[in-house]
Amino acid sequence: MIVRMLVTLLLALGSTLALAADPQVLRIGYQKSSVNMVLAREHRLLEQALPGTQVQWIEFPGGPQLIEALNGGSLDVGNIGDIPPIFAQAAGIPLRYIGIEPSDGRSEAIIVPSSSPARTLADLKGKRIALQKGSSAHSLLLKSLIKAGLQLSDVELVYLPAADARPAFEQGKLDAWVIWDPYYAAALLDGSARTLSTGEDVHPSGTYYIASRPFTEQYGATIDKVLEALRQAQKISVEQREQSIDGMTRVLGLKREVVELYFEHRYNAPIRPLDAAAIETQQRIADLFFANRLIPRAVQVREVVYPQ
């Protein structure tokens, strides 16, 4: 009887330790425009925080593609804008919000060619507007049009990833482009664009850090370490600003003045777990997208916030 009890206790202890251990491999998705992610990679902050874990950095061109990888089981953690996780939840993809990097909206904007006669958002009625479908740009445009008394049906949407939208915009094939930094900063500095409005003009949300649900269920302690490493990267971006700009310039392959403007647009609020206010903001966006029939069903954001 005593032996059986000891065996039971040992098994329970082993199970607890297994749950608390860090994974052998951490697959983390990022976009190379993400300052905190890039600096964490360049300074090997996750590798230092997780010495027994092989950290695999996987680059994606946008949030929707990152969500596809997470849904396919080839990704554990990543960072995206406000809309991809809403689309994912509506599609039943098992993800969890694990953190938020708040924004004041200055790093994304609706821009028009510098020669455009458009001066207000109302002037975009009937115009061709490019954006990445299911990205934060989608949210920015919808909120901005509503504020101007317009609907999505009042404009012609052209769904293009940023890499394809830029040449189309520069060639005069688009009337407006909804885009984020560093593309936004680059368009301003080369003289090809003028800002019509920014995310600062509507209720901004921020960048979200997400993880697959199975990962959160097994590696809660690891999530805490990941977020702390990203907070360290954010601190580096502020305290070692010039060196960080140099590093991002190398990674992005852009002119230094473009990255400098990108850094000027950054809000630099600390990464933190989602609180009630952040959940409410994201819920309003989800409700807005459902009301405009952009997602197939209503979702409750709170249901996929970690921890439950």
Side-chain angles (χ1 to χ4, degrees):
M1 185 67 172
I2 294 176
V3 172
R4 186 181 303 169
M5 290 175 63
L6 287 173
V7 170
T8 300
L9 288 171
L10 288 172
L11 288 174
L13 178 61
S15 176
T16 300
L17 290 174
L19 287 173
D22 295 321
Q24 291 184 343
V25 178
L26 171 64
R27 302 163 300 175
I28 185 161
Y30 74 104
Q31 300 172 56
K32 67 178 182 180
S33 60
S34 172
V35 173
N36 293 333
M37 283 289 202
V38 170
L39 292 180
R41 187 195 67 181
E42 294 296 299
H43 289 272
R44 297 184 59 80
L45 298 179
L46 285 174
E47 289 80 356
Q48 294 171 33
L50 305 167
T53 298
Q54 178 189 353
V55 180
Q56 297 178 354
W57 294 90
I58 307 170
E59 182 185 330
F60 293 90
Q65 295 89 343
L66 189 151
I67 289 290
E68 289 179 12
L70 186 139
N71 185 41
S74 59
L75 197 66
D76 302 310
V77 175
N79 73 318
I80 46 179
D82 53 359
I83 294 306
I86 291 174
F87 271 66
Q89 187 180 1
I93 295 174
L95 62 74
R96 289 285 185 268
Y97 294 90
I98 60 173
I100 180 174
E101 180 184 335
S103 170
D104 63 1
R106 290 182 297 141
S107 62
E108 59 180 356
I110 301 173
I111 60 177
V112 295
S114 54
S115 59
S116 171
R119 296 294 167 183
T120 68
L121 288 167
D123 294 331
L124 294 180
K125 186 172 184 178
K127 304 300 183 181
R128 289 170 54 84
I129 304 175
L131 57 85
Q132 164 105 40
K133 185 177 182 180
S135 70
S136 60
H138 211 156
S139 171
L140 173 57
L141 179 62
L142 178 57
K143 290 185 291 186
S144 299
L145 289 177
I146 290 173
K147 184 177 179 180
L150 299 177
Q151 301 177 8
L152 285 178
S153 58
D154 289 321
V155 301
E156 182 182 348
L157 295 180
V158 182
Y159 292 128
L160 290 172
D164 296 330
R166 180 172 183 174
F169 181 82
E170 292 175 343
Q171 293 164 15
K173 297 178 181 179
L174 302 167
D175 298 302
W177 183 19
V178 193
I179 191 57
W180 53 84
D181 275 324
Y183 296 98
Y184 170 38
L188 290 181
L189 289 176
D190 70 15
S192 65
R194 172 168 47 83
T195 304
L196 199 62
S197 70
T198 71
E200 199 172 15
D201 300 320
V202 293
H203 200 324
S205 50
T207 295
Y208 290 91
Y209 294 86
I210 61 167
S212 71
R213 184 169 61 197
F215 189 86
T216 64
E217 291 171 348
Q218 188 169 2
Y219 299 112
T222 303
I223 289 172
D224 294 337
K225 296 175 186 177
V226 168
L227 292 179
E228 179 55 33
L230 292 171
R231 280 190 284 268
Q232 291 177 28
Q234 191 170 37
K235 186 177 181 181
I236 289 172
S237 75
V238 175
E239 297 180 352
Q240 302 175 30
R241 186 175 187 274
E242 296 305 311
Q243 299 95 315
S244 296
I245 290 174
D246 289 338
M248 289 298 297
T249 298
R250 289 193 300 271
V251 169
L252 293 169
L254 297 172
K255 295 179 180 178
R256 195 178 195 278
E257 55 263 36
V258 171
V259 181
E260 286 177 338
L261 182 55
Y262 176 14
F263 268 61
E264 288 179 20
H265 289 162
R266 295 187 74 223
Y267 186 50
N268 288 320
I271 298 168
R272 54 178 172 76
L274 273 68
D275 58 16
I279 294 171
E280 182 182 355
T281 296
Q282 188 73 337
Q283 185 64 55
R284 283 198 300 267
I285 298 172
D287 293 343
L288 184 61
F289 265 61
F290 178 65
N292 283 269
R293 301 180 180 179
L294 294 170
I295 54 176
R297 65 182 182 89
V299 299
Q300 294 299 314
V301 172
R302 186 177 299 275
E303 293 177 357
V304 294
V305 173
Y306 172 85
Q308 289 292 313

